[in-house]
Amino acid sequence: MVESLPVAFGDTNAPVKQGAALMKTDLLGVFAHPDDETGAGAVVAQYALGQGKVVAHVYCTRGEGGGNMVGTQAGTALGHLREAELRDSLKEVGVRYCYFLGQSDFGYTESLSATFERWDHTETLRRLVRLIRTLRPEVILTMNPAPTMGQHGHHQAAAVLATEAFDAAADSNQFPELISKEGLYPWQVRKLYYPGAIAVGAAIRLDKPLPDGRFPADAAADAMARHQSQAFGNPKHPGALKSPQSWALVKSVVPIEAETDFFRGLPVEDSAAHRVLAPGDGVPEAPISLRFRANADTERYWQFVRREKIEHAATTMIAQIPVVAGEPSEVPILLGNSTTNGVSSLLKFVLTKNWEDKTDSHILFSPMTTNLLTTLVSVPAGLPHTENMWVKTEYKGQVLESKARLEPVPRVVVKKLAADPVMDANDADTLWATLAANSIDSTRVWQGKVRDAADCSGSFRIGHRNQMLYVEVRVVDDVVVSNIEPNDIRGHWRSDSVEICLDPAIGALHTFGCYKLGIFPFDTTGRVRAARDADANPGPVEETAPGTRLVSWKTTNGYAIRLAIPFAEIGLKPEEEPRFGFNVLIYDGDKADAAQGENINKSRLAWSPTSGVQGRPLNWGRADLE
C-alpha cells in the first residue's frame, strides 16, 4: 500500500496535527481501478477544494490489466504508468491520500464470483478495514455492486468490500489482530453511498464555483484528462459533469432520508454512532414468496443485499433471463413456502401481445421448501426486442408479483461442409458460398452510433468439418483504418476490428473458459493480426492458439476475414455437446488520419447485441452443429 500527499489544506498557522489526528479523513472513495473515480470527480472537488474536506481514495488494483492508448507498456509496467496518471489526476480535485489494496487487475469480467476467485476476499477486506480504522472517514463513496449489463466484476467487488467494511470496521470481533498488533481500534463510518438515484439519497448540486474560479465540473474534467492511457483525452465540454449528481444512501448512522449534503446530520458523537436501517430493510421474508430466478451471480447479489440489510438499494434490480429466438425456452420461477402447510394457488402469466400468451396454471407451494417451477416461453424467430414477463398469484388476499426481463439471443445452425474450404484471401472458393450469410445490420448497435449500412454493417458464414470450425466475416466499412503497429497487437477495440466469441459452456457467467479472439484485419504493414482477450488463454494468437489460421483482404466496400479454429483450441467437444455460445462483434473507427496506436473506436455492432461490454456469454447467441 502506498500513500501520497498531493495537496495541503487548512490554515497553515494551525497547530500541526499528529498521530491519529493527522490521518483523520472526512470522505473516502473505494474503487477498483485508477480512473474509476472520474464519475465522482465533481463532487469530490466540491468537498475537497470547495469546503476543505480531507479526502482519501482506495483502489483495489493499479489497473495493470487495462488498455494503453499512449505507449506499449502492459502488465506491471502499465500499472506503474496508470498510478502516475492517477496521482496527477487526484491533485486536480484535491484528494489528499491514495492507497492500493494490492489485488490483480487480471482482465475484464462481468462476474463478481470470478473476481473473488482471483482475489482473496477475506484478506482484501482486512486491508480495507485497516485503512478505514486508520483514516476514520465520516463518509464512504463507492461503486455499484449490482450485476447489471456491462458492470465490471471488479467494480462490483470494490462496492461489496466497501459495503461489508462499513460494519466490519466497527466490529471488534472482526480482524481483532488489527487491535492487538497494530493499535487500530474499531471505527464506525457514518454513511455509505452508491452512485445513482433511489428513493432515499443525496442530490448534490455542483453550480457553486471553487475558490480558484473553476466550477467542480471543470476540476473534474481537468482530472479526467490526466488518464491519457485510457483515452480520456481532454474533455472540452464537461457539461454532463455540471449536472446535479444523485447518490443512493445505502448505510447510515443517522436516519436515512433525502438530502442535499453527504454530511447532513454529521458529526455525531462516537457513543451515538450505530447503524440504522431504511424502512423495510431486514424485514423477514413473507411466508409465501414468488419470484423469477436469475443467473447465479444475480442470485448471489440478492443474498448479499439481504445479508447486509440494504434491500432498499436493490429495488430496481430485476431478473434478466436470456431466451433463444425461434424456439421454446425455459423460464425458471422460485416458489417459497415457509409455512407447515401446502398452498395451492393459481399462477397468472402476463407477456406482451407480440409473444405467445402463457396459460395460467395451478401450482402447489410445498410446505417448508423453496420450489422450482420451469415454464416454457416460445420466442419469435429472428431477433425480437427484449420483452417483460410477469407472474402473479394471491395468498390470503395479498397479491404476489414478480417481473423478469426476457432477453432474446439469436440462433444459427453450423452446417457440416463436404470438404475443407479454401483459406486463401479471395472469393474463388464456392464452398463458402454454400453457407448461409447471417446479417449483422447497422441496427445491431451495442455501443456508439452508426450512420447507415455503408458506414458499418456486416455478415458472417459459419461451418465445420474434421474438428475444425470455419468462420468468414465480411464487413462493410466506408473508411478502413489500419493504425496498429506489429508490436502492439492487443486492445482490438481501439481500431477497426472483428471479435469472435465462443463459449463451450453455453451460457457462462464469465469468459475465463471461453475463446475470444480480437482480429485486426490489417496492421500498419498490411498483415492480419490477432490476440485472445480476457478468456481462457489470453495473448497473441500465435502463442495462445497456434492451430488457428487467419486470412484477410480488402473488398470494394470494406474487408473480409476468414478463420479456421480447431475445436480443441475452443475447448469444444462436439460429440458431447453440439451447441455452444457464439457471437461476432464488429468495431468501427473511421478516423483516416489516426495516429499509430490511437483509440479511434466510434461504434460497435454485434450479431447478438446487448448493452454493456460483451463479457457475459450468457447473452451471446447459440450455435448448433449440424
Side-chain angles (χ1 to χ4, degrees):
M1 294 182 294
V2 181
E3 70 177 77
S4 67
L5 300 167
V7 292
F9 299 97
D11 183 0
T12 57
N13 295 318
V16 175
K17 294 180 179 180
Q18 57 184 335
L22 175 65
M23 306 298 292
K24 180 69 175 79
T25 297
D26 298 306
L27 185 63
L28 175 67
V30 179
F31 307 102
H33 320 96
D35 81 33
D36 287 344
E37 80 290 339
T38 53
V43 293
V44 167
Q46 175 161 294
Y47 281 105
L49 299 177
Q51 299 183 23
K53 299 291 188 184
V54 177
V55 181
H57 283 182
V58 176
Y59 297 84
C60 297
T61 78
R62 283 178 167 80
E64 65 273 15
N68 184 358
M69 314 313 168
V70 296
T72 60
Q73 298 94 334
T76 301
L78 176 59
H80 293 322
L81 172 61
R82 293 191 68 181
E83 180 181 344
E85 291 179 333
L86 173 65
R87 294 185 183 281
D88 281 348
S89 175
L90 297 184
K91 291 177 185 177
E92 297 290 344
V93 290
V95 175
R96 179 171 293 187
Y97 298 112
C98 174
Y99 296 88
F100 297 91
L101 298 181
Q103 296 305 322
S104 170
D105 180 13
F106 54 82
Y108 184 83
T109 178
E110 293 191 15
S111 172
L112 174 67
S113 57
T115 300
F116 281 138
E117 286 176 12
R118 306 289 183 93
W119 298 358
D120 185 322
H121 188 162
T122 300
E123 176 57 27
T124 312
L125 180 61
R126 184 198 317 275
R127 295 176 188 180
L128 181 56
V129 166
R130 173 186 285 118
L131 286 171
I132 290 173
R133 292 181 182 176
T134 298
L135 298 168
R136 296 180 298 144
E138 299 292 307
V139 174
I140 289 179
L141 304 182
T142 190
M143 312 190 80
N144 195 321
T148 53
M149 287 291 187
Q151 176 70 310
H152 201 314
H154 298 179
H155 296 175
Q156 297 172 49
V160 165
L161 291 163
T163 306
E164 294 173 339
F166 185 95
D167 294 324
D171 185 353
S172 60
N173 295 314
Q174 292 274 1
F175 311 116
E177 69 279 5
L178 295 178
I179 302 173
S180 61
K181 295 183 179 180
E182 301 185 30
L184 295 175
Y185 290 89
W187 172 258
Q188 178 62 72
V189 180
R190 301 347 189 180
K191 295 184 183 181
L192 171 74
Y193 293 89
Y194 296 163
I198 58 173
V200 289
I204 308 297
R205 295 188 62 175
L206 302 168
D207 54 0
K208 185 177 180 180
L210 302 172
D212 64 6
R214 295 181 300 170
F215 283 89
D218 299 319
D222 291 341
M224 185 184 298
R226 300 290 185 171
H227 292 289
Q228 293 285 329
S229 70
Q230 304 309 297
F232 281 99
N234 186 17
K236 299 293 185 183
H237 304 286
L241 301 177
K242 293 182 179 179
S243 303
Q245 287 194 6
S246 296
W247 291 81
L249 179 52
V250 180
K251 290 187 176 184
S252 179
V253 303
V254 298
I256 296 178
E257 59 187 52
E259 56 193 14
T260 58
D261 181 12
F262 290 149
F263 294 87
R264 185 264 312 171
L266 304 181
V268 297
E269 296 296 329
D270 287 357
S271 59
H274 56 273
R275 170 85 186 280
V276 300
L277 297 181
D281 285 354
V283 175
E285 289 190 33
I288 300 296
S289 62
L290 171 71
R291 68 177 177 85
F292 288 99
R293 189 183 72 177
N295 64 68
D297 270 354
T298 301
E299 292 293 319
R300 280 188 281 266
Y301 169 73
W302 280 325
Q303 293 170 11
F304 161 75
V305 297
R306 287 201 64 84
R307 184 175 67 249
E308 294 295 319
K309 297 181 173 58
I310 56 170
E311 291 95 327
H312 72 286
T315 54
T316 60
M317 187 73 184
I318 67 172
Q320 297 172 310
I321 302 173
V323 290
V324 182
E327 65 180 47
S329 292
E330 292 183 345
V331 177
I333 300 165
L334 292 174
L335 314 169
N337 182 2
S338 60
T339 73
T340 56
N341 301 312
V343 177
S344 179
S345 187
L346 177 66
L347 294 187
K348 295 179 176 293
F349 296 94
V350 180
L351 282 166
T352 65
K353 61 183 180 181
N354 296 324
W355 290 38
E356 173 189 296
D357 289 333
K358 290 298 301 176
T359 303
D360 299 342
S361 60
H362 280 279
I363 191 70
L364 177 67
F365 289 61
S366 300
M368 303 299 292
T369 61
T370 297
N371 307 266
L372 175 63
L373 167 69
T374 299
T375 187
L376 290 178
V377 175
S378 293
V379 185
L383 189 60
H385 291 294
T386 295
E387 299 287 1
N388 292 324
M389 180 179 183
W390 287 264
V391 60
K392 303 179 181 181
T393 192
E394 286 191 22
Y395 173 69
K396 294 185 176 180
Q398 179 183 3
V399 176
L400 305 176
E401 178 180 293
S402 182
K403 176 184 176 182
R405 182 177 296 119
L406 306 186
E407 299 176 329
V409 300
R411 171 180 174 267
V412 66
V413 175
V414 185
K415 184 176 179 180
K416 187 172 183 178
L417 291 159
D420 295 332
V422 171
M423 285 294 293
D424 292 341
N426 59 55
D427 296 324
D429 184 22
T430 57
L431 273 175
W432 287 102
T434 66
L435 303 176
N438 301 273
S439 175
I440 306 175
D441 63 53
S442 58
T443 67
R444 297 196 180 202
V445 180
W446 56 274
Q447 195 169 89
K449 294 182 179 180
V450 175
R451 184 185 67 251
D452 52 28
D455 178 23
C456 186
S457 58
S459 64
F460 71 89
R461 303 174 191 269
I462 185 169
H464 74 103
R465 175 178 167 79
N466 291 337
Q467 298 297 307
M468 296 286 288
L469 185 70
Y470 293 94
V471 183
E472 178 188 86
V473 182
R474 291 178 177 264
V475 177
V476 176
D477 186 354
D478 54 355
V479 181
V480 179
V481 182
S482 306
N483 67 317
I484 302 301
E485 298 178 86
N487 64 346
D488 189 24
I489 306 305
R490 57 179 174 269
H492 55 277
W493 54 86
R494 294 176 292 158
S495 187
D496 288 345
S497 65
V498 167
E499 185 175 8
I500 304 297
C501 304
L502 302 162
D503 171 28
I506 320 166
L509 289 171
H510 55 75
T511 61
F512 299 131
C514 297
Y515 177 108
K516 287 175 71 257
L517 188 67
I519 307 163
F520 297 108
F522 317 101
D523 64 13
T524 53
T525 69
R527 293 177 56 205
V528 61
R529 303 295 302 280
R532 294 178 64 172
D533 174 67
D535 68 359
N537 191 19
V541 69
E542 299 87 354
E543 301 172 8
T544 60
T548 294
R549 290 179 288 152
L550 287 158
V551 295
S552 70
W553 68 98
K554 290 187 176 181
T555 62
T556 57
N557 58 358
Y559 62 90
I561 295 171
R562 284 177 179 166
L563 304 90
I565 312 171
F567 284 151
E569 290 188 343
I570 302 169
L572 185 65
K573 298 179 180 179
E575 65 279 2
E576 297 179 7
E577 179 53 72
R579 170 168 281 193
F580 57 94
F582 176 72
N583 209 357
V584 178
L585 316 180
I586 300 174
Y587 298 80
D588 185 34
D590 284 356
K591 187 176 181 181
D593 60 348
Q596 292 182 340
E598 181 183 356
N599 183 354
I600 61 167
N601 189 247
K602 173 181 68 72
S603 57
R604 304 177 180 187
L605 302 178
W607 175 58
S608 181
T610 53
S611 60
V613 179
Q614 305 300 299
R616 188 179 297 187
L618 197 67
N619 291 91
W620 296 349
R622 305 293 187 261
D624 294 318
L625 296 171
E626 185 183 71

